[in-house]
Amino acid sequence: QSVLTQPPSASGTPGQRITISCSGSRSNIGTNTVSWYQQLSGTAPKLLINRNTQRPAGVPARFSGSKSGTSASLAISGLQSEDEADYYCAAWDDSLNGPYVFGTGTTVTVL
Amino acid sequence: EVQLVQSGPEVKKPGESLNISCQGSGSIFTNYWVGWVRQMPGKGLEWMGMIYPDDSDTRYSPSFRGRVTISADRSIDTLYLQWSSLQASDTAIYFCARHADYLNWYFDLWGRGTLVTVSS
């Protein structure tokens, strides 16, 4: 049902760099900014990236966001065991799907 | 500390009504839109709708319009999510969250969630 598509899973070993993609359309990512959320098991989501690339205070610099056209990406550099979580992208959607939509979610596993 | 405090877990039967709440500490709703997000068991996040407590302007996702009612009591900084007739498929965790601004719309503050279980 979600209009933002993410890969179901991603994995890496400690220290590696992984990326998570988020594919949308002109009415959402193509027109509006993207945010990313991290949800650790059994907890509420936490804002990781806003306005495509901005990290809120307290978010480690190893998390970075980017956007190009109708797609966005979250990169985790120097992967750590505590990064094992679900990650969601989100954006405002100007179409009838909106107003606000989340991605399908990606489970990150640290091997 | 700025936070959103949600009401406790609920166990209900199909057909029953329910009202869950989310109270903000201080005036954290002033000039902000505040929304509800559903997470069904083992599933992803779904944006349900939002309200501007200062004037009760409300917007809903097409998937949830007519199925739930979002309201707010600005005098006590409390947000509500209401069902008139629950279904088993409403079993989920419901999070309240504050939209940080109305240009970028990201959620900067989240409640801990309220687990709603609907079972006969």
Side-chain angles (χ1 to χ4, degrees):
Chain A
Q1 181 174 351
S2 175
V3 297
L4 302 182
T5 303
Q6 300 178 230
S9 62
S11 63
T13 56
Q16 270 192 327
R17 181 178 187 271
I18 65 170
T19 61
I20 300 168
S21 61
C22 174
S23 177
S25 65
R26 186 172 64 179
S27 66
N28 41 68
I29 295 177
T31 307
N32 302 295
T33 62
V34 178
S35 53
W36 289 90
Y37 303 89
Q38 176 193 59
Q39 187 178 29
L40 300 172
S41 181
T43 70
K46 167 192 166 185
L47 179 65
L48 211 56
I49 298 287
N50 63 69
R51 301 170 187 164
N52 304 324
T53 62
Q54 304 303 302
R55 281 189 314 276
V59 174
R62 64 178 184 275
F63 293 96
S64 62
S66 64
K67 178 182 129 172
S68 178
T70 58
S71 294
S73 292
L74 174 72
I76 309 175
S77 303
L79 193 64
Q80 298 185 9
S81 57
E82 58 260 39
D83 298 333
E84 199 160 273
D86 293 326
Y87 293 82
Y88 296 90
C89 59
W92 186 264
D93 192 308
D94 295 325
S95 76
L96 295 178
N97 293 314
Y100 194 72
V101 290
F102 284 101
T104 49
T106 299
T107 298
V108 169
T109 302
V110 181
L111 302 171
Chain B
E1 181 186 356
V2 175
Q3 57 181 346
L4 296 173
V5 180
Q6 297 191 229
S7 51
E10 302 275 359
V11 179
K12 292 287 189 178
K13 294 184 179 342
E16 291 187 330
S17 62
L18 176 64
N19 191 344
I20 64 174
S21 67
C22 167
Q23 184 168 31
S25 62
S27 299
I28 63 174
F29 289 164
T30 302
N31 295 327
Y32 289 99
W33 287 82
V34 192
W36 288 98
V37 175
R38 183 176 78 172
Q39 187 166 39
M40 299 176 73
K43 302 298 183 182
L45 305 175
E46 299 174 272
W47 187 89
M48 301 175 71
M50 65 183 181
I51 188 168
Y52 193 71
D54 287 343
D55 65 8
S56 292
D57 188 8
T58 310
R59 312 287 171 84
Y60 292 93
S61 161
S63 300
F64 292 94
R65 187 176 295 116
R67 298 184 55 201
V68 296
T69 301
I70 296 172
S71 60
D73 186 338
R74 186 64 183 84
S75 67
I76 55 173
D77 282 329
T78 300
L79 181 70
Y80 301 99
L81 181 63
Q82 304 164 16
W83 291 262
S84 60
S85 180
L86 287 161
Q87 302 174 10
S89 57
D90 293 318
T91 295
I93 298 174
Y94 294 88
F95 297 99
C96 63
R98 187 180 75 174
H99 281 290
D101 71 65
Y102 48 84
L103 275 181
N104 298 282
W105 294 103
Y106 56 91
F107 286 119
D108 66 339
L109 191 61
W110 290 76
R112 291 188 174 186
T114 295
L115 174 61
V116 173
T117 303
V118 184
S119 174
S120 54

